[in-house]
Amino acid sequence: MATIAAPAVERENYLNTDFRVRSWLLTTDHKRIGILYLLSITAMFFVGGFAATMIRLELLTPAGDLMSSDTYNKMFTIHGIVMVFFFLIPSIPATLGNFLVPMMIGARDLAFPKINLASWYMYITGAGLMMYVVLTGGVDTGWTFYVPFSSTYSNTHVIAAVVAIFIAGFSSIFTGFNFIVTIHRMRAPGMTWSRLPLFIWSHYATSVIMVLGTPVVAIALTLVALERAFHMGIFDPRLGGDPLLFQHLFWFYSHPAVYIMILPSMAVVSEVVSTFSRKRVFGYAAVALASIAIAVLGFLVWAHHMFVAGISAYAALVFSLLSYFVAVPSAIKVFNWMATMYKGSVSLATPMLYAMGFIGLFTMGGMTGLYLAALGIDVHVHDTYFVIAHFHYIMVGGAVMGYLAGIHFWWPKISGRMYPEAWGKIAAATIFIGFNLTFFPQFVLGYLGMPRRYHAYPPEFQVLNVMSTAGASILAVGYVLPLIYLLWSLRYGEVAPDNPWAATGLEWRTPSPPPTENFPETPVVTWEAYDYSSVAEVPVAR
Amino acid sequence: MWQTLPLWPARASTLAGRTDALMIFMLAVTGFFTVMIFILILVFALRFRRTRNPIVTHIEGSNALEAAWTLIPFGIFMVMFIWSAGIYMTWAQPPPNAEEVFVVGKQWMWKFEHPEGQREIDQLHVPLGRAVRLTMISQDVIHSLFLPEFRVKQDVLPGRYTTTWFQTTKPGSYHLFCTQYCGTMHSGMIGEVVVMEPAAYQAWLSGGNAEGSLASTGQKLFQQLGCTTCHRFDTQGRGPNLLGLYGKPVLLDDGRTVTADDNYIRESILTPGAKVVAGFKPIMPTFQGIVNEEQLLSLAAYLKSLSQPERRQPGSNRPAEPPHPASAPARSR
Amino acid sequence: MHDSSAVATHGLRHHFADMEQQRASATLGMWVFLVTEIMFFGGLFAAYLVYRTAHYDAWVIGSEHMNFWLGTINTVILLCSSLLVALAVHAVQVGQNRMCAIYLWIASAMGVAFLALKGIEYHAHFVEGAVPGALWKLAVPDPRAVQMFFYIYFVMTGLHALHVTIGVALLAVIGWHAARGRYSPVYYSPVHVSGLYWHFVDVVWIFLYPLLYLIAHKKA
């Protein structure tokens, strides 16, 4: 943190109150914990990214020639586990959410600051254990841990990996639990539910999923570990168990977990689209309710991952129907964001570019989700690259785009410095192009029938795989760029004003970076959300 | 060009055409909306950019619009749902007169057994134009049998039979993949399906390595294992009489009724105490670890033959015929 | 929330506006935590339901091997301890810190008694060979399914016993704080939320008891 140089007449803020390492490791300040999370998930992102690079390089040629099958299997497993449990799930909630939820509602901190710090330590413990697993031989079950492969047949560090996820899961429960209580109990005077920024609504919905879903996957994975350790079977068919029960319990969490990843990105996009269109979000109530509807319906669709797993055809019909229901609130959000831009005053700063990218790519991800919910088509494309492409459009095109939009949007508030705008735009364009080149060919591959998790593949699939790998290398450049220029900006960036975007949220009505107590005195809210007449006009169109 | 950059898989089953039709419909609908959304985002971003439109027109929202973009997508989704559900229900219900093939998956190979006795590994021969039903089980982990050109896939579970079916429309040789990750050589658990003209198929069936039909293997096994001591066909022994049992409802001692299908027969051999027939004592020993999955399939085939004195449809099973010279199956791609 | 009168602010953490906000946050926090706990046990209840439906006979046999009387006595113990915890919360609300401590300590001791009886039961299962896996010795018609019953039994009651153990320690510590006069009618959230936790532990047992011990009796 020594990189943040203190200019001569800097105001006291959460960064410069204390520079000792101890003051960071024992902090209960939600902003500092957000920074701790930011550093740790960025490290994990590049671990997961390394595994992804190895996967794409292996798939350049049809034969499995770069690494052995076992190594390849470990690579995609590590990529999945690290990206899902150690990057995407904590990505926005634990960094931006931690930083912003109290500020946006006018609170001094989260309701339980010590539990918040404990949550980071649990995350670090889980991540450390996972790194131990990676360095001592890895795990090869796939991030889904399907039994009986994981419980009986795999010879890798399944138990340690499961324990790592269990611990990280509790860090996510603690975060969600803290947000729910904070949003209910810590709002500033005048901050009614209908005046909450949509960021808060989405994080509320996310927290509900974290609190309700995570314990179920925790117990399911615990049962796998017990079965592996003591050979006492609850899922093993040789002991009378049913392997499908594991899949039900696993997806009961892991489908809603997709919404843990995407809802916070939607939260960011709502803020960004409104701010850079200088217009209140169109249909505020509809967007807020859509978040809640996604959280609720998200719990009722898990078995659409199991249409060909051997469940009853009638159960499949019900889950397919419910899966279409959950697509509706997502569609509502997309249309409302577009309507927000309509007749607004749009400026195309970097966060807005990412947000527009999000809307487009999330639309494609969502639309291809309809194919997977379609029973007849899912029979064909299930467990093929079509699925891979679909969920990367949601998680990379959606969640990561939203994350980057948010990082750029709130960077002035977090660091007190502006990022270099031109580089921001170049990186956003690079990521958009690289992403589409990586993942669009995979839709075609999937419909052609290339199965996922294949180390070697028939030669007729090679051209599309080469396109995908080429795109991945562009994408990699796109991800390294922000890392470089954001670090650069900490020292050389322009000093940020308190409200560079003339945004309306409470977080912009306090200094950049904010003081430890967030607000010199508790704000009293007298305006509606996104009331642009309550803030000064932006002088310069960026 | 399409040799190196294929964009659409071949269609080789009755289900493939239906799946592709829905796929094309969905591509059209979602393509239209995706392009519309991309264009509108770009148009709004340029038309209403700050330098050109500095003054915002405040619009709070519109219930009519919200209703429109809730109900219209919902309506379209329901069309997709119903259409796709129709295809799925066809896939989920094999026609009753289908040819039967038994499949055992294991790390990392596929074993196929025809009722006539032919066994194959990683290669499956089927007749053109006939519905074929696959009854599948795994010896170890979960696998999944995927036939992309037939648009058919079904997970293969340990401990329980699953079924799928297809009816081919084009002779040739087609991909067969395992799509459920199953360990080290998952991507090597592949094979091919060879679709043959019926005459050539008959020739193939009768030539080669058959060691008697599956049912006759089961019959031998039934005697070797001493099943006949209790399960007698003339009178009621200590165990139930199994003549004509297959496919019939069975009353259990706890009052429930189950159908005597492949799964029930398998369970009763491996865990006899689980579902005891009403009026009998749970005295049967378990055969867990004594019979393997292939032997279980042959026992089920034998019991099935006891219910069908005419032995399947005429023409599909002819152990008595003189062997044809083995002819190489026709292959094309 | 708008309580601006100069109440005692002993125990008020800096980021809360007032005692009322702090108390409400603590209570809501515990409720949310308990929802998480319910989902945690929920996965096991789901497994229980699936296998009980599939192997009802085996469940009856397994239930016959439960010690009905020890289970019943344990149920009574937990119910009584819950009453004591409720009395403790009342005592602290009216300023009787010492009575609060005594109630909590007795409740904690009852928790220990519960664990002791549970231990006796576990021991009996081991002696009898009613432990799934290599130590299994029971001769029953469908041993796989009965082992499944015992496996679920051990996981569910084991997880519950873990919660009881945490609760025993929690009540003892909170009782100790109460004895030292740390709480007041204005600041007693720790007693209240620990009480909620103990009631939750009790309620889980109220479900486990009939599901595990009483199936055999239903049949008779």
Side-chain angles (χ1 to χ4, degrees):
Chain A
M1 280 305 114
T3 43
I4 301 167
V9 283
E10 207 173 0
R11 289 173 294 197
E12 172 139 313
N13 61 48
Y14 78 104
L15 292 168
N16 66 12
T17 45
D18 195 337
F19 289 98
R20 286 171 301 172
V21 173
R22 200 186 126 82
S23 76
W24 279 90
L25 293 182
L26 296 179
T27 184
T28 52
D29 181 351
H30 65 101
K31 299 181 287 302
R32 285 191 163 203
I33 295 170
I35 301 282
L36 292 175
Y37 260 118
L38 180 64
L39 295 173
S40 24
I41 69 162
T42 304
M44 291 307 271
F45 175 80
F46 283 97
V47 172
F50 170 75
T53 310
M54 299 309 286
I55 294 169
R56 281 316 326 163
L57 286 177
E58 169 63 66
L59 293 178
L60 261 179
T61 56
D65 39 17
L66 179 67
M67 56 189 110
S68 73
S69 292
D70 278 326
T71 311
Y72 180 81
N73 296 343
K74 286 172 185 170
M75 281 300 163
F76 71 67
T77 303
I78 289 163
H79 173 67
I81 292 175
V82 168
M83 286 303 201
V84 170
F85 294 108
F86 294 96
F87 173 71
L88 284 166
I89 285 178
S91 62
I92 294 181
T95 58
L96 296 173
N98 239 327
F99 197 94
L100 294 164
V101 165
M103 295 182 71
M104 282 188 169
I105 64 172
R108 273 171 263 174
D109 205 326
L110 287 171
F112 305 106
K114 284 181 191 160
I115 290 178
N116 197 19
L117 181 64
S119 140
W120 181 71
Y121 275 102
M122 298 203 82
Y123 173 84
I124 281 297
T125 311
L129 185 54
M130 192 60 218
M131 285 305 98
Y132 162 81
V133 169
V134 171
L135 295 176
T136 57
V139 55
D140 73 344
T141 58
W143 77 278
T144 46
F145 290 98
Y146 269 22
V147 292
F149 182 72
S150 63
S151 62
T152 313
Y153 289 87
S154 172
N155 294 318
T156 53
H157 296 292
V158 179
I159 293 179
V162 160
V163 172
I165 292 169
F166 186 94
I167 297 171
F170 270 84
S171 89
S172 142
I173 289 176
F174 283 176
T175 302
F177 150 89
N178 231 331
F179 285 177
I180 290 178
V181 176
T182 306
I183 294 167
H184 268 282
R185 295 285 185 236
M186 309 281 285
R187 283 170 286 126
M191 183 54 94
T192 59
W193 285 91
S194 62
R195 284 176 178 168
L196 287 175
L198 288 165
F199 187 91
I200 300 294
W201 276 102
S202 274
H203 271 75
Y204 187 80
T206 308
S207 306
V208 168
I209 302 173
M210 285 172 160
V211 164
L212 290 179
T214 318
V216 178
V217 81
I219 196 72
L221 293 177
T222 306
L223 290 173
V224 170
L226 286 176
E227 182 159 333
R228 207 176 153 80
F230 302 112
H231 303 290
M232 294 198 291
I234 199 162
F235 301 129
D236 188 344
R238 284 181 309 180
L239 300 171
D242 185 352
L244 289 193
L245 178 64
F246 172 79
Q247 296 179 21
H248 280 293
L249 293 176
F250 180 82
W251 290 114
F252 181 82
Y253 165 76
S254 295
H255 189 76
V258 175
Y259 301 114
I260 294 182
M261 303 172 207
I262 199 69
L263 275 169
S265 276
M266 294 171 158
V268 171
V269 169
S270 294
E271 299 299 316
V272 169
V273 167
S274 170
T275 300
F276 291 97
S277 305
R278 303 216 50 72
K279 188 155 158 272
R280 178 174 159 87
V281 172
F282 189 88
Y284 171 93
V287 177
L289 285 178
S291 295
I292 305 296
I294 288 174
V296 173
L297 290 171
F299 274 108
L300 306 176
V301 300
W302 75 87
H304 68 209
H305 296 265
M306 301 167 63
F307 287 158
V308 298
I311 61 171
S312 130
Y314 299 101
L317 288 179
V318 173
F319 280 105
S320 168
L321 184 63
L322 290 168
S323 302
Y324 280 106
F325 286 3
V326 81
V328 173
S330 304
I332 292 175
K333 287 198 171 211
V334 167
F335 289 124
N336 277 298
W337 290 323
M338 289 167 57
T340 306
M341 288 172 72
Y342 177 72
K343 292 199 174 173
S345 184
V346 178
S347 59
L348 297 177
T350 306
M352 186 62 176
L353 291 183
Y354 278 116
M356 284 161 57
F358 172 97
I359 299 173
L361 299 180
F362 173 75
T363 299
M364 290 181 71
M367 294 274 196
T368 49
L370 300 173
Y371 294 68
L372 296 168
L375 288 161
I377 291 185
D378 186 66
V379 169
H380 177 55
V381 294
H382 180 80
D383 271 345
T384 66
Y385 264 81
F386 192 93
V387 177
I388 307 291
H390 157 71
F391 73 69
H392 281 88
Y393 264 80
I394 297 286
M395 294 189 190
V396 184
V400 177
M401 283 286 211
Y403 173 70
L404 288 170
I407 289 291
H408 285 85
F409 185 56
W410 282 290
W411 189 252
K413 185 57 63 182
I414 294 170
S415 69
R417 301 294 181 129
M418 301 302 293
Y419 61 86
E421 185 63 41
W423 281 105
K425 285 181 170 145
I426 290 169
T430 312
I431 290 174
F432 185 84
I433 293 165
F435 172 81
N436 280 299
L437 186 53
T438 310
F439 291 105
F440 196 84
Q442 297 185 3
F443 282 123
V444 184
L445 274 176
Y447 201 73
L448 284 170
M450 176 161 166
R452 67 191 290 194
R453 296 173 172 177
Y454 260 33
H455 175 224
Y457 55 86
E460 70 254 35
F461 298 145
Q462 187 176 11
V463 175
L464 288 160
N465 271 298
V466 170
M467 285 163 72
S468 184
T469 301
S473 50
I474 298 174
L475 192 57
V477 173
Y479 285 138
V480 174
L481 277 179
L483 182 75
I484 295 169
Y485 67 69
L486 289 179
L487 286 174
W488 174 90
S489 77
L490 289 177
R491 184 174 275 278
Y492 303 104
E494 220 181 291
V495 172
D498 291 351
N499 190 358
W501 319 117
T504 58
L506 275 178
E507 79 273 24
W508 300 108
R509 298 171 196 246
T510 190
S512 300
T516 302
E517 294 287 309
N518 292 349
F519 303 96
E521 53 193 77
T522 306
V524 177
V525 182
T526 54
W527 58 90
E528 299 302 311
Y530 311 110
D531 178 1
Y532 288 92
S533 62
S534 71
V535 288
E537 264 305 320
V538 203
V540 190
R542 286 185 144 270
Chain B
M1 155 119 192
W2 306 125
Q3 286 299 308
T4 53
L5 181 57
L7 294 175
W8 202 275
R11 266 190 289 276
S13 79
T14 49
L15 216 52
R18 291 181 63 187
T19 307
D20 282 2
L22 173 59
M23 184 73 184
I24 289 164
F25 167 76
M26 293 189 68
L27 279 174
V29 172
T30 58
F32 170 77
F33 280 102
T34 306
V35 169
M36 182 190 85
I37 287 169
F38 268 86
I39 289 177
L40 284 181
I41 291 173
L42 286 179
V43 166
F44 289 172
L46 298 176
R47 169 66 187 79
F48 303 115
R49 68 180 185 276
R50 192 154 300 167
T51 45
R52 210 170 141 190
N53 193 42
I55 307 299
V56 174
T57 312
H58 282 288
I59 315 165
E60 279 296 301
S62 152
N63 287 337
L65 268 178
E66 296 291 345
W69 61 50
T70 307
L71 293 177
I72 292 172
F74 185 75
I76 297 172
F77 294 169
M78 286 307 99
V79 174
M80 294 173 177
F81 167 68
I82 291 166
W83 190 338
S84 71
I87 299 173
Y88 186 77
M89 292 317 282
T90 309
W91 167 82
Q93 293 163 325
N97 61 347
E99 295 263 345
E100 206 152 13
V101 177
F102 299 98
V103 184
V104 177
K106 59 172 280 194
Q107 286 175 330
W108 292 277
M109 63 163 77
W110 295 103
K111 293 190 273 191
F112 299 95
E113 296 194 13
H114 299 258
E116 294 78 4
Q118 263 76 1
R119 289 150 181 254
E120 310 181 68
I121 286 177
D122 289 344
Q123 202 181 40
L124 171 63
H125 289 78
V126 292
L128 177 68
R130 292 283 296 272
V132 176
R133 183 173 81 156
L134 306 177
T135 299
M136 310 186 285
I137 195 155
S138 163
Q139 256 173 252
D140 36 50
V141 302
I142 300 177
H143 302 282
S144 188
L145 186 98
F146 177 33
L147 308 169
E149 283 90 351
F150 301 167
R151 312 289 189 272
V152 161
K153 175 185 294 116
Q154 171 64 52
D155 280 11
V156 180
L157 303 174
R160 174 153 79 79
Y161 295 111
T162 53
T163 57
T164 191
W165 75 281
F166 54 84
Q167 184 173 354
T168 54
T169 55
K170 240 172 38 182
S173 157
Y174 302 105
H175 280 306
L176 183 160
F177 293 127
C178 175
T179 44
Q180 187 60 268
Y181 172 64
C182 57
T184 308
M185 292 298 293
H186 169 54
S187 65
M189 194 169 164
I190 57 176
E192 63 174 345
V193 182
V194 180
V195 179
M196 304 167 80
E197 297 289 351
Y201 178 71
Q202 281 311 327
W204 175 84
L205 261 190
S206 24
N209 55 1
E211 315 144 4
S213 73
L214 203 56
S216 67
T217 312
Q219 184 176 15
K220 274 180 231 143
L221 195 62
F222 196 79
Q223 279 150 3
Q224 278 166 18
L225 293 169
C227 308
T228 40
T229 328
C230 299
H231 297 289
R232 300 168 62 103
F233 299 126
D234 44 355
T235 66
Q236 202 65 274
R238 282 189 292 168
N241 185 339
L242 303 180
L243 205 60
L245 167 79
Y246 189 92
K248 300 276 170 15
V250 179
L251 183 67
L252 303 182
D253 63 348
D254 60 2
R256 285 182 296 166
T257 305
V258 295
T259 305
D261 55 7
D262 292 334
N263 270 317
Y264 171 73
I265 290 167
R266 181 178 182 282
E267 182 184 22
S268 298
I269 297 169
L270 296 178
T271 45
K275 294 192 179 110
V276 181
V277 179
F280 290 90
K281 292 204 181 66
I283 49 169
M284 178 169 159
T286 173
F287 285 83
Q288 187 108 44
I290 298 169
V291 289
N292 64 29
E293 293 295 349
E294 284 146 272
Q295 291 171 322
L296 283 164
L297 282 168
S298 68
L299 286 170
Y302 171 55
L303 293 189
K304 195 172 183 179
S305 72
L306 293 176
S307 311
Q308 294 163 309
E310 290 108 77
R311 320 262 332 245
R312 301 166 51 104
Q313 311 94 321
S316 71
N317 184 22
R318 40 188 77 169
E321 269 195 11
H324 289 273
S327 61
R331 285 193 203 178
S332 64
R333 169 138 286 222
Chain C
M1 266 224 175
H2 303 289
D3 181 17
S4 55
S5 63
V7 289
T9 53
H10 164 70
L12 179 67
R13 306 254 310 129
H14 73 99
H15 59 289
F16 289 109
D18 52 44
M19 291 305 285
E20 173 53 31
Q21 189 185 37
Q22 174 166 327
R23 185 160 51 221
S25 299
T27 308
L28 180 65
M30 185 44 92
W31 278 110
V32 175
F33 176 71
L34 294 183
V35 167
T36 295
E37 288 277 32
I38 288 170
M39 296 308 288
F40 201 64
F41 278 97
L44 291 172
F45 280 110
Y48 173 95
L49 274 179
V50 168
Y51 292 126
R52 176 185 158 142
T53 311
H55 314 291
Y56 181 74
D57 288 346
W59 252 232
V60 173
I61 293 165
S63 181
E64 278 162 0
H65 286 270
M66 296 289 111
N67 189 323
F68 170 75
W69 285 110
L70 285 183
T72 310
I73 292 168
N74 260 345
T75 309
V76 174
I77 289 178
L78 276 194
L79 284 174
C80 292
S81 72
S82 249
L83 173 68
L84 289 170
V85 167
L87 289 172
V89 174
H90 178 73
V92 77
Q93 280 172 334
V94 297
Q96 296 174 332
N97 260 317
R98 233 167 59 83
M99 279 315 288
C100 170
I102 291 170
Y103 285 138
L104 288 177
W105 283 336
I106 299 176
S108 180
M110 293 174 94
V112 173
F114 173 93
L115 289 172
L117 291 183
K118 199 74 223 149
I120 292 171
E121 274 189 85
Y122 281 167
H123 181 252
H125 295 315
F126 271 89
V127 170
E128 194 188 11
V131 181
L135 299 172
W136 183 257
K137 287 196 295 237
L138 285 191
V140 286
D142 188 2
R144 284 198 323 176
V146 183
Q147 288 192 52
M148 182 76 80
F149 172 87
F150 274 97
Y151 180 51
I152 291 176
Y153 161 81
F154 277 113
V155 174
M156 286 179 110
T157 55
L159 189 61
H160 178 258
L162 178 69
H163 281 80
V164 175
T165 312
I166 293 167
V168 163
L170 190 67
L171 294 184
V173 171
I174 299 289
W176 186 65
H177 284 313
R180 296 186 23 147
R182 190 168 157 187
Y183 306 121
S184 69
V186 181
Y187 172 62
Y188 61 87
S189 283
V191 182
H192 186 197
V193 298
S194 313
L196 279 179
Y197 174 81
W198 190 256
H199 295 319
F200 166 79
V201 170
D202 191 14
V203 167
V204 170
W205 182 256
I206 295 301
F207 280 91
L208 291 181
Y209 172 64
L211 289 180
L212 297 169
Y213 289 80
L214 300 185
I215 309 173
H217 293 263
K218 184 204 151 201
K219 205 186 184 189

